[in-house]
Amino acid sequence: MKMIQTYILFLLAALSVQAARMSFDESWQFTLGDPKGAEQVAFADSDWRVLDVPHDWSIEGEYSKAHRMGDKGGYLPAGIGWYRKTIVVPQEWKGKYVEIAFDGVFMNSTVWANGQKLGTRPYGWSSFAYDISEIVESSGSITFAVRVDNSKQPAARWYTGSGIYAHTWIDVKDKIHVPADGVFVRTQGEAAAIDVELKNTTGTAQSVGVEVVIIDPSGNEVTKEQRSVMVNTDAVQASDFSFQVSNPQRWDIDSPHLYRAVTKVVVAGTVVDTTTTRFGFRDVEWKPDTGMWLNGKNIKLQGVCNHQDAGALGAAVPDKVLRFRIEQLKAMGCNAIRTAHNPQTPTFYDICDEVGMLVMDEIFDGWSKKANHDYGRYHFQEWWERDLTDWIKRDRNHPSIVIYSVGNETHGKVGEDLVALCHELDPTRPVTSGHSSSEYMDVFGVNGASEKTGWFDNLETDRVFIGTENPHTWQVRGYYRTKTWYRNGYPSRSQKPYEIPDLTQEEVFSYDWIDADGRSNRKQIFNSSYDNATVRLTARHSIEQLRDIPNYAGSFRWTGHDYIGEAGYVHGGWPFRAFMGGAIDLANFEKDLFYLYQSQWTDEPMVHILPHWTHPTLKLGTEIPVWVYSNCDEVELFLNGKSLGKQGPGTQWDAMQCEWMVGWQPGELKAIAYKDGKPVCEKIIRTADAPARIALSIDGEPLAKTGKDIVQVRVTTQDAKEEFYPYGENRTAFHVIGPGQIRALDNGSPVDVEQHFRAKDRIAFYGLTRAYVESTGAAGDITLLASCILGEKRQISSELVSIDAQLLSLRGTLAAVSVEIFYTLDGSTPTTQSTRYTKAFAVPLGTTVKALVALDGQPVQILEERFAADEGFVWNVAQDASHGGDQAEDAKLSGAVVSTAGKGFNGKGFVDFGNNKGAYVEWYQENDGDAGEADLTIRYSGKARGASGRAIQLSINGKVIDKQRMLPNTKDWGSDWQTVTVPIRIGRGANTIRLSTVENGGMYIDEISVR
């Protein structure tokens, strides 16, 4: 039995008979799969799940190495999904022009209404709408069906999500109206030029009046203009208006004042259509020698690149969380975001308008295939013109958007056509790309190549230059190493990195996420938060260059937030699920890098200390590099009350941090920052004892008092003295009291592959856990219960176990409940008859502690935590963090198998071609730098009988560059491994490297590396 939605009738009672836009997000029915006939009205859908959009079904699924998204999509499921929704057609819609609109569906969506196909849109990041006026006129009810096909994977080089991930709408207008995106506003000085499109679907030509009213940020009418227009039937008629606004309030990054242009269509004296368009008065100039000027002020673009997803929430990011993330970046000092590598949802641009965040609006990644089953491969040639047109017309009124980008690390003559169409649709903004067909671009955009030593020495000054991806550095929150790590090694012929000295001669820190034997390959390491893990340069180098090079208009670091996907190339794949280049992690927790940028890009006094001061395995007196970031004049550091002296942050890259080499002893580190000789802020960190409790708090705005909403809860691991415990990894369970539910759980870990959606518990990652809690829409108070068994998993310094349960009011009054905890140590399930918890207790290694949490005597949670030598973080001697090669066993194979019948190989095996001719192993290589020369090193083993070696054919990007590269004999097969280095040329962006046998079989292949 179909669900008939009647709530629209009630909405319409309060709406004008002019234009109406109604949210269509609630109460869709959904199923995962591809049932035959699901587009038909009579299809039985009563067993389908009911949900609200935005919705991303991929993030709701389980992570699995077997999923076809693979490392590029973060090992989440994809597939085909269907949405259906049936509504009663209100009488008020009859005789109107009605559209159903989608802000975003990924990907290959087809929409039907009452079994009639409305259309298909392959690109997952386009907004689109369909005219349903005739169906409305002839129907008493409408059943909408949407098929979403994201089955071919990988569909992109990063996680995309699947489904109707953005808002949906019903737009009801008069038959004579302003079409969607039919108003175009441009400003210059005090002038505003406004073009208005009119659409007439009445069947006869009509004379209509058009009035445009300008409303200032305070809601006052400042000017208006009227005129009469003859609009032909089934045609779009354009009309232009010009206004002068005396001394307008400017839209700026610090004062984002927004005006409104209200367009009214009048027929026979009656207003039949009203359209409101937000815009801002701002003047933007681009000068080759100095970059971008906003309202007469030279502005450096202090930018980041960001993908669509938000960790556990996937691509269907709630508006509230999206705003939090944008404002979080702004608090870091960021003033610009590049929408890598696709348009964001319309809500994103609205928020950027409101908070004063500049935008590089990017539409495409590749203009041809980059991922196996992406838009570039299947649809670009047919669809790019329509998708680009819809994108420009949708976005061009946003004052936050200052530049367009049409591609990323791609190429082709079509680049000239893309730029020309952008200019035709919007002549007010320049066009750039991420180093794609740069000869056609207005602004020269370069990705990682701009990070190379000496690059700026040869930069031409004929155009404005932007580092569209600069810098590339990696860091895991809470993880530290004193030795420098280069992704491609140092030195590197292809990457030309800067020399970044180690902080200490010998590595200081040894804790890690896993033993070396537990890694699938040598890439599977965490990266240090000291800003010393990179491809070519540090974040500090990039900050210095942007600040000091006049014609360096802006840099967009890769990335602002960590993101799901692209987990193989740098991080070695499963269980790594994410890319760790952000200044903020997957769960919206700030890393130390956040505070580096804040110290360089903001003025509000701040001070931050790294690393933490809890080091249970270090010998007393071990010298630790203590860094302090601050934007103040001087910083004084104290250890246990004793001053270690004052330092002033410098301007050169290696002096931006104040640094002290501090001999380790437990206690307190305090940094006091001074301006004009007076203390203005301070930061204190202390050595923590064993974890003993959790603390709950809210990040961002609390839950709304009514309706459906979401809130971000932070769970912090603490010791008994309420000091932050930085190695916290115990599992917290959650229970919602009242009309709320857990939407998802996260912790920021790049290797935690537990399911997020509707999860009940989550381990902490370096002391923090995130819970996203949503209200259901029903009235009532909401309280969150969080409970945790706490202790050191491997008992490095303590055998104590504590059990804690905390309540947090999310809406209304805190629940008045009694909380009791009972536990067992023998493996049995606890009951209310088990031992009551009253204080911390000691357990030996190998113990599993189970606990029951009861509210008012009723069991609500079962907790479990095991303490053993094989649990949790490892605490061994420091492990080698050198960058490993690309393992052959992880590459694409044909006519070859993975073998482990040898010794001394890297990773989990090597490739054996058997006796097969034409067999191959092929690696994917992402080059975020420029095209150029590199060294390919092949690690192999084998001893050919009666010959000096065996030949192999080498192909790069499908082109044979060496038909017979000889691999000389090693001492034997599978235990003596040697290397051969071959000079090659790699392209920009995606590359493939293939080794093929040219005779019956070939040498064993272990790995390759490209430098």
Side-chain angles (χ1 to χ4, degrees), residues 302-306 329 332 334-339 468 555-561 583 597 601:
Q302 298 167 176
V304 300
C305 302
N306 256 11
L329 290 170
M332 186 179 82
C334 170
N335 64 17
I337 298 174
R338 177 189 179 201
T339 66
T468 40
S555 71
F556 290 79
R557 81 156 284 114
W558 191 264
T559 52
H561 291 81
Y597 282 105
W601 285 355

Side-chain angles (χ1 to χ4, degrees), residues 69-74 106 125 153-160 307 338 340-342 362 364-366 368-375 407-410 434 447 469 558 563-569 579 924-928 989-991:
M69 274 193 177
D71 62 285
K72 292 179 176 60
F106 198 93
W125 291 296
Q153 291 295 324
R157 297 179 300 111
W158 59 90
Y159 176 75
T160 62
H307 280 313
R338 177 189 179 201
H341 301 291
N342 51 265
E362 185 161 86
F364 299 126
D365 183 30
S368 57
K369 174 187 170 184
K370 292 184 72 175
N372 284 350
H373 299 288
D374 63 6
Y375 173 86
N408 178 70
E409 293 170 357
T410 186
N447 287 355
E469 285 180 23
W558 191 264
Y563 60 94
I564 298 174
E566 255 186 315
Y569 173 48
F579 194 96
Y924 172 86
Q925 282 278 315
E926 179 73 24
N927 176 28
D928 47 30
N991 292 268

Side-chain angles (χ1 to χ4, degrees), residues 934-949:
D935 290 325
L936 170 68
T937 299
I938 305 168
R939 191 170 191 259
Y940 71 98
S941 177
K943 186 175 182 180
R945 183 178 302 174
S948 60

Side-chain angles (χ1 to χ4, degrees), residues 915-926:
N915 294 316
N916 297 322
K917 184 178 182 179
Y920 68 80
V921 52
E922 181 179 277
W923 293 265
Y924 172 86
Q925 282 278 315
E926 179 73 24

Side-chain angles (χ1 to χ4, degrees), residues 800-821:
L800 286 180
V801 171
S802 301
I803 310 176
D804 191 30
Q806 296 287 333
L807 295 170
L808 178 67
S809 173
L810 300 182
R811 189 173 75 185
T813 303
L814 185 73
V817 293
S818 65
V819 181
E820 296 175 288
I821 301 171

Side-chain angles (χ1 to χ4, degrees), residues 805-870:
Q806 296 287 333
L807 295 170
L808 178 67
S809 173
L810 300 182
R811 189 173 75 185
T813 303
L814 185 73
V817 293
S818 65
V819 181
E820 296 175 288
I821 301 171
F822 307 88
Y823 69 94
T824 63
L825 303 179
D826 60 2
S828 63
T829 301
T831 69
T832 54
Q833 304 306 308
S834 301
T835 304
R836 183 189 300 271
Y837 175 77
T838 58
K839 63 179 181 179
F841 52 89
V843 300
L845 279 176
T847 301
T848 296
V849 180
K850 295 184 179 181
L852 179 148
V853 180
L855 297 181
D856 292 337
Q858 298 299 312
V860 295
Q861 291 175 324
I862 294 290
L863 316 178
E864 182 175 328
E865 198 81 24
R866 181 171 178 263
F867 301 90
D870 58 353

Side-chain angles (χ1 to χ4, degrees), residues 520-788:
S520 297
N521 55 70
R522 289 181 294 158
K523 290 184 176 184
Q524 294 192 324
I525 62 170
F526 283 178
N527 296 119
S528 169
S529 289
Y530 272 118
D531 190 31
N532 58 352
T534 186
V535 187
R536 310 168 191 89
L537 82 177
T538 67
R540 291 163 292 153
H541 281 102
S542 179
I543 290 169
E544 179 185 8
Q545 292 171 348
L546 177 63
R547 182 194 66 213
D548 294 345
I549 299 174
N551 59 322
Y552 191 176
S555 71
F556 290 79
R557 81 156 284 114
W558 191 264
T559 52
H561 291 81
D562 288 352
Y563 60 94
I564 298 174
E566 255 186 315
Y569 173 48
V570 178
H571 307 310
W574 182 269
F576 280 81
R577 64 186 174 98
F579 194 96
M580 304 177 295
I584 305 163
D585 74 14
L586 288 165
N588 298 336
F589 296 130
E590 298 87 354
K591 304 180 188 180
D592 292 300
L593 187 68
F594 176 96
Y595 300 99
L596 166 63
Y597 282 105
Q598 196 173 65
S599 73
Q600 300 299 311
W601 285 355
T602 70
D603 297 322
E604 183 70 25
M606 57 77 61
V607 63
H608 176 78
I609 306 172
L610 67 146
H612 55 73
W613 205 239
T614 301
H615 307 289
T617 63
L618 283 189
K619 293 180 180 179
L620 288 174
T622 300
E623 288 198 326
I624 299 174
V626 174
W627 285 15
V628 178
Y629 296 139
S630 180
N631 54 11
C632 299
D633 301 333
E634 285 185 308
V635 175
E636 186 172 13
L637 186 67
F638 296 82
L639 175 62
N640 294 330
K642 180 182 178 181
S643 175
L644 302 183
K646 290 183 178 180
Q647 293 187 31
T651 57
Q652 294 184 343
W653 76 273
D654 55 354
M656 290 179 180
Q657 73 283 354
C658 299
E659 180 178 343
W660 290 264
M661 297 301 294
V662 181
W664 159 243
Q665 57 177 289
E668 176 186 279
L669 278 178
K670 178 166 71 172
I672 300 178
Y674 300 84
K675 269 188 174 292
D676 299 323
K678 298 179 180 179
V680 291
C681 56
E682 69 177 32
K683 177 69 176 180
I684 297 174
I685 59 174
R686 298 185 180 94
T687 305
D689 297 327
R693 67 186 305 275
I694 55 175
L696 307 183
S697 58
I698 291 173
D699 289 334
E701 294 296 317
L703 274 180
K705 294 180 180 180
T706 59
K708 296 180 180 180
D709 196 18
I710 193 167
V711 68
Q712 300 182 90
V713 176
R714 176 187 293 241
V715 183
T716 304
T717 306
Q718 297 179 336
D719 70 3
K721 304 188 301 290
E722 300 187 9
E723 297 295 338
F724 174 60
Y725 179 73
Y727 305 105
E729 54 180 330
N730 299 123
R731 184 174 296 275
T732 298
F734 300 89
H735 174 75
V736 180
I737 305 168
Q741 59 189 355
I742 300 295
R743 165 79 169 264
L745 302 177
D746 207 342
N747 54 26
S749 168
V751 294
D752 185 351
V753 290
E754 292 186 8
Q755 191 171 8
H756 299 288
F757 182 68
R758 298 283 187 256
K760 295 181 179 179
D761 51 62
R762 196 88 181 182
I763 62 171
F765 182 67
Y766 289 126
L768 296 176
T769 312
R770 172 73 74 202
Y772 295 101
V773 185
E774 56 188 8
S775 49
T776 62
D781 300 336
I782 301 175
T783 294
L784 177 68
L785 167 69
S787 308
C788 187

Side-chain angles (χ1 to χ4, degrees), residues 37-207:
E39 75 279 9
Q40 298 301 321
V41 173
F43 182 86
D45 57 10
S46 59
D47 59 341
W48 288 21
R49 173 182 163 198
V50 179
L51 53 78
D52 296 345
V53 300
H55 172 240
D56 172 5
W57 79 68
S58 289
I59 200 64
E60 295 180 349
E62 296 183 359
Y63 290 93
S64 171
K65 190 176 181 179
H67 284 320
R68 288 187 294 169
M69 274 193 177
D71 62 285
K72 292 179 176 60
Y75 302 102
L76 282 161
I80 298 173
W82 280 81
Y83 299 83
R84 284 170 57 90
K85 183 172 180 176
T86 299
I87 62 169
V88 173
V89 176
Q91 188 62 37
E92 292 85 348
W93 292 11
K94 303 291 185 177
K96 298 290 184 179
Y97 179 87
V98 185
E99 286 185 336
I100 182 171
F102 297 84
D103 282 354
V105 184
F106 198 93
M107 62 179 296
N108 295 312
S109 66
T110 304
V111 182
W112 290 264
N114 284 352
Q116 178 180 327
K117 182 178 177 180
L118 302 180
T120 296
R121 292 301 289 259
Y123 197 38
W125 291 296
S126 284
S127 297
F128 55 90
Y130 295 112
D131 179 2
I132 57 171
S133 304
E134 291 185 3
I135 299 172
V136 165
E137 200 66 27
S138 61
S139 306
S141 64
I142 302 178
T143 295
F144 295 99
V146 183
R147 182 180 185 268
V148 185
D149 185 354
N150 196 22
S151 58
K152 291 183 178 180
Q153 291 295 324
R157 297 179 300 111
W158 59 90
Y159 176 75
T160 62
S162 302
I164 304 177
Y165 66 87
H167 293 302
T168 57
W169 309 92
I170 293 290
D171 290 312
V172 182
K173 292 175 172 283
D174 191 81
K175 287 184 176 292
I176 303 175
H177 59 274
V178 176
D181 307 321
V183 176
F184 181 24
V185 183
R186 289 94 62 214
T187 66
Q188 184 68 42
E190 297 183 341
I194 301 179
D195 294 341
V196 176
E197 294 178 357
L198 297 172
K199 187 173 184 178
N200 177 10
T201 62
T202 64
T204 59
Q206 299 278 335
S207 176

